Amino acid sequence: MAVLVQMRRDTQANWYNYNPILMAGEIGICIDAGPPQTIPATGPATATTPGPGFKIGDGTTNWNSLAWVNTGPTGASGPTGPTGAVGPTGPTGPTGAASTVTGPTGYTGPTGPTGESGRATISDTAPTGPTTGDIWYNSTNGRNYVWYTDVDGSQWVEYGEANQGPTGFTGPTGYTGPTGAIGPTGAASTITGPTGYTGPTGPTGPASTVTGPTGYTGPTGGFGTTQTINAQTGTTYSLVSGDVGKLVTLNNGSAITLTINTSTGLSAGQRIDLSQLGAGQVTISASGTTLYATPGLKFRTQYSCATVICLASNTYLITGDLIS
C-alpha cells in the first residue's frame, strides 16, 4: 500500500517574509518560483521563472540564503579521492556544574500558513497521476525522486544521493595465518567427576551345555548305627534340634518349603540329611539364619538329596543335588 507524506510548501512571498531555517535534508517547495536564482538576498522576491522550485535545508541557513536545487544534466562522476587518516580523539572536557537558574521561556512565534498537501509514495514503479512536489521512493534501487515542473515540462527528478554508483565487488579473503603453538597441559584435576548412570541389564544368555566338574567325595560314614528317618508329607516343614543326625524325607505332589530358623538350634559340626521323595520341588528358606549353598537352595528333581551342616550359631552350609 502506498504511503502519503505531506511536504512543506508555500509561495515565494511567504517563504521570503518568514525566511525559516530548514532542517538538514528537509525539502522546501516554492510553488510559484524556481531556478535560476532570481530571488534576491534582500528586497521583494521577483522571480521570472515559473515554479515550482525547491531548496534543501542544512539546519543552519535561512531560506533566503539557501541556493536553489538546479535540475540540469548530471555531470560525470569524478574519481574518488583517497580517504584521509583519522585524527586522534581529543580528551573529554570536564562536565560543567549544573545550572540552578531556570531561563525565561521564549515567546511563541506566529503560526505559519498551512501549505498545500503533497504525496509521498513507496513502490517499485512510478506512481500515476503525480502532481508537483510529489515524492516517490523507488523500492527497487533505493533512490528518491520528486515530481518537478520547469520550462522543459514535468518529470521525476532524482534528489538526495543522486547518481550513486553501484556497490563495488568484494575483495578476496586473506590467507589464514599459521596455527599457534599448543600450550602446556594443565595440571590434572583432583576432583572426581560424578559416576555415570548404570545401564540396563542385558538379556539372559542361553543355558550352558557344559556340565560342571563333579564335587569332591565326602568321607565315608560309618554304618554302625542305624539312621532315624523323619518322614514329612506336608507342603511346609521347619527343621528342629531333634532332627540332628536324622534323614528328613519330604514327600508331596506340590511344592514344599523347608525352613531353617533360629529354633533349629544346631551346634557347629552337627548335620541333618534331606531327601525329596515326591514330585513337589523342595525349596530351603532362611528365617533369622544365614545359609550358604551353590548354585541355589532348590532340590534339582525327585529323589535329590542334600545335607545341612552347621558352621556356627545360626549359620549353615547346604550341600547336595541343588539348583538355583
Side-chain angles (χ1 to χ4, degrees), residues 42-67:
T42 60
T46 55
T48 58
T49 302
F54 67 97
K55 298 182 179 184
I56 300 177
D58 58 6
T60 59
T61 305
N62 293 82
W63 170 269
N64 293 337
S65 299
L66 287 173

Side-chain angles (χ1 to χ4, degrees), residues 50-220:
F54 67 97
K55 298 182 179 184
I56 300 177
D58 58 6
T60 59
T61 305
N62 293 82
W63 170 269
N64 293 337
S65 299
L66 287 173
W68 291 98
V69 177
N70 294 317
T71 58
T74 302
S77 299
T80 302
T83 302
V86 177
T89 302
T92 303
T95 302
S99 174
T100 58
V101 179
T102 303
T105 303
Y107 73 93
T108 302
T111 302
T114 302
E116 297 183 13
S117 61
R119 295 187 307 169
T121 304
I122 301 175
S123 64
D124 56 358
T125 58
T128 59
T131 59
T132 301
D134 284 358
I135 299 297
W136 167 43
Y137 173 78
N138 189 330
S139 58
T140 299
N141 59 18
R143 298 186 176 184
N144 299 300
Y145 301 85
V146 61
W147 185 257
Y148 178 72
T149 303
D150 56 16
V151 294
D152 297 324
S154 298
Q155 62 275 315
W156 288 107
V157 178
E158 186 176 356
Y159 71 91
E161 296 180 357
N163 303 308
Q164 181 178 355
T167 301
F169 70 91
T170 302
T173 302
Y175 74 92
T176 301
T179 303
I182 299 175
T185 303
S189 175
T190 58
I191 300 175
T192 302
T195 302
Y197 72 94
T198 302
T201 302
T204 301
S208 174
T209 58
V210 179
T211 303
T214 304
Y216 74 93
T217 302
T220 302

Side-chain angles (χ1 to χ4, degrees), residues 240-247 264-267 270-273:
V240 295
S241 59
D243 291 324
V244 173
K246 294 182 181 179
L247 171 64
T264 303
L266 272 62
S267 300
Q270 291 182 325
R271 64 179 62 196
I272 301 173
D273 294 327

Side-chain angles (χ1 to χ4, degrees), residues 2 9 35 67 81 90 104 128 215 220 237 243 262 269 309 311-312:
R9 59 173 60 192
T128 59
T220 302
Y237 180 68
D243 291 324
T262 56
I309 304 172
L311 300 178

Side-chain angles (χ1 to χ4, degrees), residues 212-237:
T214 304
Y216 74 93
T217 302
T220 302
F223 293 93
T225 302
T226 302
Q227 188 174 26
T228 302
I229 299 177
N230 178 3
Q232 296 292 323
T233 58
T235 58
T236 61
Y237 180 68

